[in-house]
Amino acid sequence: MWCDGVMGASSPPSRWWALTALVPLTLFVLVGVVAGGSDAIIRLYFAGEPGRWARAVSEFESLDDARVALYVDLAFAASFAVVGYLLLRAGHHHWAPLRRSSDRGGRWIWGVMPAIAVVAGLLDLVETSAQLIWLDDLDPPRAVTRAIACVA
């Protein structure tokens, strides 16, 4: 694969490859469109209390609309983890290797940035999956809503 091996040992990908960042961006915009342009999905994530969570769910046209918005958000989270990892790894290894691999104090951060993107995507997947599990029950446990708000 083009991003394996020692820095500079393989040919860099095309700079046009960075346009793959449009995949998660498009899905992010689609979540807002599916949610009817409201910020109900954001209130759903940051509710923290079962009552506020139920009110946020009721702001959607139907439970099916809320479910579709959460499914699109799952796709966004997965694409963010994959595309974020690939772009940050390619950027670290090919597009700016000298600045990001110099002996200055911030060198290590660029090496862990791809892993941070994966962890962020996985946390979003867990958070959205919890939303989907409790969507039909409009009275989720307080611990669940608080955990979702903390992860969000």
Side-chain angles (χ1 to χ4, degrees):
M1 186 171 188
W2 59 263
C3 60
D4 290 337
V6 180
M7 199 179 320
S10 62
S11 61
S14 166
R15 290 189 188 267
W16 291 102
W17 193 75
L19 290 176
T20 57
L22 291 176
V23 173
L25 177 63
T26 302
L27 289 168
F28 181 77
V29 170
L30 188 59
V31 168
V33 170
V34 170
S38 72
D39 58 351
I41 197 153
I42 294 175
R43 277 198 288 282
L44 194 64
Y45 287 131
F46 293 110
E49 296 290 329
R52 285 189 291 198
W53 192 84
R55 283 192 299 277
V57 169
S58 69
E59 290 181 27
F60 288 94
E61 295 283 327
S62 68
L63 282 180
D64 288 336
D65 288 345
R67 192 172 286 109
V68 169
L70 290 170
Y71 282 136
V72 174
D73 192 38
L74 278 175
F76 162 73
S79 69
F80 180 84
V82 172
V83 172
Y85 172 80
L86 292 174
L87 286 177
L88 287 168
R89 185 169 165 91
H92 175 66
H93 287 283
H94 295 288
W95 293 334
L98 295 177
R99 184 184 69 202
R100 293 183 181 156
S101 64
S102 67
D103 288 331
R104 294 184 195 157
R107 178 179 84 176
W108 65 273
I109 192 75
W110 290 104
V112 298
M113 288 300 281
I116 290 172
V118 171
V119 168
L122 290 175
L123 285 173
D124 196 7
L125 285 170
V126 168
E127 164 196 3
T128 305
S129 297
Q131 298 275 10
L132 282 166
I133 290 169
W134 292 103
L135 188 61
D136 291 322
D137 180 12
L138 293 180
D139 191 26
R142 183 180 311 265
V144 170
T145 56
R146 288 192 177 169
I148 289 168
C150 287
V151 171

